[in-house]
Amino acid sequence: MKKFFIVLTIFVFVMGCSENNKPTQTQTLFVGTYTDGSSEGIYTLQFNPETGELDSLELKAKLPNPSFLAISKDKKNLFAVQETADYDSLGGGVTSFSIDKGELKVLNSKGSAGAHPCHVAISEDGQIAVSNYSGGNLAIFDLQEDGSLGDRQIIYHRTADTLAKPHVHKAHFNEDGLFVADLGLDALKRYSKQTYGWVPAHQNTIAMGEGSGPRHFVFGENRNYLYVLNELNATISVLKRDDEGSYNQIQTESTNDDPKWCADIHLSADGKFLYSSNRGKNTIVIFSVDAENGKITLVGSESTKGNSPRNFTLDPGGKFMLVGNQKSDNIAVFKRDLEKGTLEFLKEYKVPSPVCLVFTD
């Protein structure tokens, strides 16, 4: 019996060591870029969710200016804008890819009907919305069963009662319809889906203040609060949804940085912290979020260890933040303090002109 227990102890010890020595499963990070320098298109890196390390940079698709990427919920498709003015006679383009074991296969490409498309959003029911910045309009595509691009609807933001020029910057689908940030009109626009297409919805225009330049936005849990990042006056506006479904501003806070060039905004998965990137002083600005009233309080800021932090992302586990510094050709990795929301710089990795970071996992 004693011999049996000795053998059993050795077996358990060996098995424990074997488990501890198992290599960490890496996660794939897709990187969209500008191709006016050394970049050639869309790249991937492998991310270690335990250490925050990146390695194995690979070019996956040659494409002109794939500056924004989106991956379908089932991880079978990737969509990339072609942020140009010459895909066709109307402007830029968008390309649909299938994803197979980390590799990209082109399904098809179509014109976005406007110059310099800078964002793509995916709906839950088989559509994508492409924001045309210089074109000042929005292209909505039906998706075929394999994820390829189908029919297109165009929504124009031209208005007769203002001299302002529309610059559509981001769209987002949710249960309340389609929300669109227009930097040129200083407003968010809202649309609802009908059998014949998307039409202006209740509270079609959410004014954000003259000269604010709303660029990106994010919703809090249950869509009770909406956080809008205003590029041109470097502020974040907090809006609360009322009983009629309208959003009303309850707070506007400075990002405590240069008065221009805010770029991206994200909430932590637990909703406790709000982060924004600012290309003025090259920082990530950190706010805490009050769970009771949705309002934000400045925690501080952290250098992005590079120049022009465009897009950034939190890893699927929420323990790390990755920042794409467009003009210094690097991705900086930070460890997040989950209780305080603060960031600790770990390491930077050379990647040509990174402007969009998207995890598949």
Side-chain angles (χ1 to χ4, degrees):
M1 182 64 71
K2 183 176 180 180
K3 184 176 180 181
F4 169 78
F5 280 114
I6 293 174
V7 172
L8 180 62
T9 300
I10 293 173
F11 174 77
V12 171
F13 175 77
V14 170
M15 289 301 293
C17 289
S18 176
E19 286 295 317
N20 291 335
N21 290 331
K22 283 181 67 174
T24 301
Q25 184 69 38
T26 61
Q27 299 166 337
T28 301
L29 177 73
F30 280 91
V31 183
T33 69
Y34 279 124
T35 55
D36 51 358
S38 61
S39 173
E40 295 183 81
I42 301 171
Y43 293 82
T44 58
L45 285 156
Q46 296 305 307
F47 175 76
N48 186 316
E50 297 299 324
T51 65
E53 294 179 311
L54 290 168
D55 60 29
S56 305
L57 179 68
E58 291 185 44
L59 175 65
K60 292 298 182 179
K62 291 187 177 183
L63 201 70
N65 287 350
S67 64
F68 200 90
L69 314 176
I71 295 175
S72 61
K73 191 174 182 179
D74 62 10
K75 313 302 181 187
K76 293 181 179 180
N77 295 99
L78 180 145
F79 304 94
V81 301
Q82 296 183 37
E83 192 177 336
T84 70
D86 58 3
Y87 174 85
D88 59 19
S89 61
L90 297 178
V94 59
T95 299
S96 171
F97 296 89
S98 64
I99 305 174
D100 183 14
K101 298 178 181 177
E103 300 299 320
L104 295 180
K105 177 184 177 182
V106 174
L107 295 177
N108 67 341
S109 299
K110 289 195 173 186
S112 65
H116 302 113
C118 61
H119 187 273
V120 58
I122 307 173
S123 77
E124 293 281 351
D125 59 354
Q127 290 186 312
I128 65 168
V130 180
S131 300
N132 293 307
Y133 180 80
S134 297
N137 59 10
L138 187 71
I140 302 173
F141 292 87
D142 293 332
L143 297 178
Q144 306 301 320
E145 189 172 344
D146 64 352
S148 57
L149 305 170
D151 293 338
R152 181 185 71 188
Q153 176 188 357
I154 308 301
I155 296 176
Y156 294 96
H157 278 189
R158 299 191 190 102
T159 57
D161 58 348
T162 178
L163 296 177
K165 184 177 181 180
H167 289 301
V168 179
H169 219 303
K170 174 180 177 172
H172 174 77
F173 296 95
N174 65 26
E175 292 90 334
D176 294 326
L178 176 61
F179 290 74
V180 183
D182 194 311
L183 183 147
L185 299 185
D186 293 323
L188 268 63
K189 307 290 281 186
R190 295 179 64 174
Y191 299 94
S192 63
K193 191 176 184 181
Q194 306 298 321
T195 55
Y196 50 87
W198 290 90
V199 299
H202 164 73
Q203 197 189 19
N204 177 234
T205 298
I206 307 174
M208 298 306 302
E210 186 176 354
S212 58
R215 177 185 173 102
H216 277 208
F217 55 90
V218 62
F219 286 87
E221 187 178 7
N222 299 320
R223 307 182 310 285
N224 289 327
Y225 297 97
L226 172 60
Y227 301 91
V228 181
L229 183 66
N230 301 301
E231 176 179 345
L232 300 184
N233 66 6
T235 63
I236 294 176
S237 297
V238 183
L239 293 84
K240 183 178 180 179
R241 186 172 63 175
D242 63 22
D243 293 340
E244 295 180 351
S246 297
Y247 284 89
N248 305 288
Q249 290 193 45
I250 60 172
Q251 182 187 17
T252 297
E253 291 292 327
S254 169
T255 60
N256 197 31
D257 214 322
D258 282 353
K260 275 192 179 182
W261 316 129
C262 288
D264 199 9
I265 186 169
H266 292 283
L267 267 173
S268 59
D270 59 12
K272 293 181 178 179
F273 298 100
L274 183 72
Y275 299 91
S276 68
S277 60
N278 194 302
R279 293 169 291 176
K281 288 186 177 178
N282 298 318
T283 57
I284 296 293
V285 187
I286 308 161
F287 293 88
S288 62
V289 180
D290 190 308
E292 296 298 321
N293 59 29
K295 292 185 177 181
I296 59 176
T297 301
L298 181 67
V299 173
S301 63
E302 185 71 31
S303 167
T304 64
K305 306 300 181 181
N307 188 2
S308 195
R310 179 108 169 187
N311 178 239
F312 66 96
T313 189
L314 302 178
D315 79 295
K319 297 192 297 184
F320 300 95
M321 178 183 289
L322 291 78
V323 182
N325 290 300
Q326 175 191 343
K327 294 184 179 179
S328 53
D329 298 323
N330 72 312
I331 294 175
V333 180
F334 299 84
K335 185 176 181 179
R336 287 185 64 233
D337 186 310
L338 302 185
E339 296 301 318
K340 299 178 181 177
T342 53
L343 303 173
E344 176 190 353
F345 174 67
L346 297 180
K347 194 173 181 181
E348 65 169 296
Y349 300 85
K350 284 297 180 183
V351 180
S353 195
V355 290
C356 185
L357 311 177
V358 184
F359 281 100
T360 57
D361 305 281

